Amino acid sequence: MKVMKFGGTSVGSADRMKEVASLVSDGDNNIVVLSAMSGTTNNLVEISNYLYKKNHDGANRIINQLEKKYYEEIDLLYKNSKIKEEATEVVKSRFDFIKSLVKDEFSEVEEKEILAQGELMSTAMVNLYLIEQGKDSVLIPALEFMKTNSDGEPDISYIKENIKKYLDIHKDSKILITQGYICRNVNDEIDNLQRGGSDYTASLIGAAVNADEIQIWTDIDGMHNNDPRYVENTKSIAELSFDEAAELAYFGAKILHPTSVLPAKVANVPVRVLNTMEPKAPGTTISGKDSKNRITAVAAKDGITAIRIHSGRMLMAYGFLRKVFEIFENHKTPIDMITTSEVGVSVTIDKLKHLDEIVDELKTFGSVEVDSDLVIICIVGDLVRENKGYANRIFDALKDIPLRMISYGGSDHNISVLVSSENKKEALRALSAKLF
Ligand code: ADP
Ligand code: ASP
Ligand code: MG
């Protein structure tokens, strides 16, 4: 059994949906995870933002535009009038629901409900198209088996147990279609796995059912060695280890959701990143096989804030770092990079919700300096200490760029540097020029 995930562009129009239908009808048993049509989730975020501001006109304008687009695609997608009617009804009921939330009381609960509508519509549409084509396809509801726990993390045993029920019920169906991104939280409310979370859904399902392979179908021919949005002539990487892919995803390679590699790694299910526009291209295979003697790729993670704590008390003291880290832990704020010296420690975070409280508490140890608008540039490869010379090449490439922090040795696969956001493109390009 395979898990095949298709992103927003891959289901972005009637034509793209037809292409997806042909790719999933390959005769294998496939669980198909779909994102919302491209642009939809952004529109749903806009609608929610208007509703938070009680701007009903703004919300209605986007709702009507979006609804119109769906009917246009439905018109192009189906030939059979009964199926077309059924699809129209599904989409209409979703938009009626969104319209019912256009009112003054608007909270996070309603926002999450709105954000879920895109995946609910795209999956219904593709499933109906497959049925029109006489395929053996059935919808299985993610909201009945994807769940997060009290920490907001996927509840692995719940997912495993509950998706199995659907596999048993539909054991004779070749194609099981489900929604990426959406889930229920510990209070049983509709929630999601954060933007781009459909990759994470696919990986969680692949691990839960112990799939032979997880395929991430997107709009580019695999993971590239640098960010194609900022650097020209990037190249697709044929093979990546789980660890390399996890570092790249976590440190900003948008092609994969930041935490989507871990479930596949734990279950040892290979992940293939493939291009819907060019289905025969080999793409990238991510597996347990380590890469050797190379710098593999570069990625950049935006929106980073650095906090430096300067304290005389750090000198010769044990337990100091624990107290510092405890403050971040109490505010549920993950730390990305760390560097220390005899008199201070610098850390970076990207979750800023509790920054003010964190800084206030850190001030009990000494002076605290906060720098925002930074970017972590992460260089990934076979960077074990025996591989001499790589650090030299990396820092040679970056010789004209001010570096705020450097981290090396945390794993065998990663050197990270912190730069100002205005130097991001220059840093990425300089690294590509020297390393690849
Ligand atoms: P999907 O909607 O299919 O999930 P995304 O837009 O989330 O697609 O991810 C694909 C995009 O990721 C590509 O179009 C590309 O611009 C961007 N991207 C960023 N870094 C990389 C990288 N290292 N390799 C490939 N694509 C990347
Ligand atoms: N539709 C969601 C988003 O745009 C999830 C995804 O595409 O992975 O973020
Ligand atoms: Mg994505």
Side-chain angles (χ1 to χ4, degrees), residues 86-210:
E86 207 179 317
T88 307
E89 258 166 49
V90 173
V91 166
K92 182 173 181 304
S93 73
R94 293 286 142 209
F95 278 99
D96 285 347
F97 174 72
I98 297 174
K99 289 172 194 168
S100 77
L101 298 176
V102 179
K103 52 184 188 207
D104 279 349
E105 315 84 72
F106 191 77
S107 71
E108 221 176 290
V109 173
E110 286 84 21
E111 178 187 5
K112 301 273 178 64
E113 289 174 353
I114 287 192
L115 294 184
Q117 301 308 313
E119 272 70 12
L120 291 168
M121 292 194 284
S122 63
T123 47
M125 286 166 72
V126 171
N127 183 52
L128 283 170
Y129 179 73
L130 283 159
I131 290 169
E132 188 190 72
Q133 297 301 303
K135 305 291 180 197
D136 189 7
S137 173
V138 65
L139 264 186
I140 60 170
L143 295 177
E144 302 299 320
F145 59 82
M146 289 302 296
K147 197 166 178 77
T148 50
N149 61 23
S150 54
D151 292 324
E153 299 291 335
D155 186 337
I156 304 291
S157 53
Y158 183 98
I159 295 169
K160 215 172 175 159
E161 197 179 307
N162 285 278
I163 195 170
K164 287 260 157 71
K165 290 183 195 160
Y166 286 94
L167 296 195
D168 288 344
I169 299 170
H170 299 295
K171 59 179 178 304
D172 297 326
S173 298
K174 280 274 176 214
I175 306 169
L176 307 187
I177 308 234
T178 194
Q179 299 81 22
Y181 175 61
I182 63 176
C183 62
R184 284 189 190 273
N185 62 26
V186 71
N187 303 320
D188 230 26
E189 295 152 351
I190 292 183
D191 210 322
N192 61 62
L193 300 172
Q194 314 287 336
R195 295 304 306 271
S198 299
D199 303 326
Y200 201 17
T201 304
S203 182
L204 289 163
I205 292 180
V209 306
N210 199 19

Side-chain angles (χ1 to χ4, degrees), residues 252-384:
K254 188 199 172 215
I255 189 165
L256 290 175
H257 173 279
T259 51
S260 61
V261 179
L262 190 66
K265 178 189 163 171
V266 170
N268 197 22
V269 178
V271 177
R272 291 178 65 206
V273 185
L274 296 159
N275 188 353
T276 336
M277 324 286 167
E278 214 185 310
K280 296 245 155 22
T284 299
T285 301
I286 303 166
S287 72
K289 216 166 94 187
D290 279 330
S291 64
K292 287 278 171 247
N293 292 315
R294 65 166 190 198
I295 293 182
T296 308
V298 176
K301 183 171 176 171
D302 299 316
I304 303 294
T305 293
I307 305 171
R308 177 185 283 160
I309 307 117
H310 202 86
S311 173
R313 265 186 280 166
M314 179 143 170
L315 204 66
M316 320 257 296
Y318 54 83
F320 176 80
L321 287 176
R322 182 180 57 75
K323 288 180 203 144
V324 168
F325 291 153
E326 222 164 46
I327 293 175
F328 289 88
E329 187 186 339
N330 292 341
H331 291 289
K332 295 199 166 156
T333 302
I335 293 172
D336 283 328
M337 277 174 85
I338 309 164
T339 55
T340 62
S341 84
E342 198 53 29
V343 289
V345 49
S346 277
V347 301
T348 70
I349 60 172
D350 68 346
K351 208 177 131 197
L352 304 180
K353 197 167 166 199
H354 301 291
L355 180 64
D356 292 343
E357 295 107 293
I358 289 172
V359 169
D360 280 346
E361 289 173 39
L362 288 172
K363 279 183 180 158
T364 56
F365 299 125
S367 64
V368 178
E369 206 183 299
V370 178
D371 273 340
S372 53
D373 216 9
L374 302 170
V375 175
I376 296 176
I377 307 275
C378 168
I379 300 104
V380 165
D382 178 24
L383 298 165
V384 294

Side-chain angles (χ1 to χ4, degrees), residues 379-409:
I379 300 104
V380 165
D382 178 24
L383 298 165
V384 294
R385 60 189 148 259
E386 292 76 15
N387 278 343
K388 290 171 286 194
Y390 283 147
N392 201 22
R393 278 169 61 198
I394 291 167
F395 293 115
D396 186 38
L398 297 172
K399 66 180 187 300
D400 295 322
I401 294 167
L403 305 180
R404 168 74 173 74
M405 277 168 75
I406 297 169
S407 165
Y408 171 58

Side-chain angles (χ1 to χ4, degrees), residues 221-259:
D221 58 341
M223 174 78 85
H224 279 215
N225 58 7
N226 205 329
D227 194 322
R229 292 168 299 175
Y230 307 107
V231 181
E232 280 173 28
N233 300 321
T234 58
K235 298 231 159 44
S236 175
I237 308 160
E239 290 189 51
L240 273 175
S241 69
F242 283 123
D243 290 334
E244 288 176 320
E247 303 259 18
L248 289 167
Y250 186 76
F251 287 107
K254 188 199 172 215
I255 189 165
L256 290 175
H257 173 279
T259 51

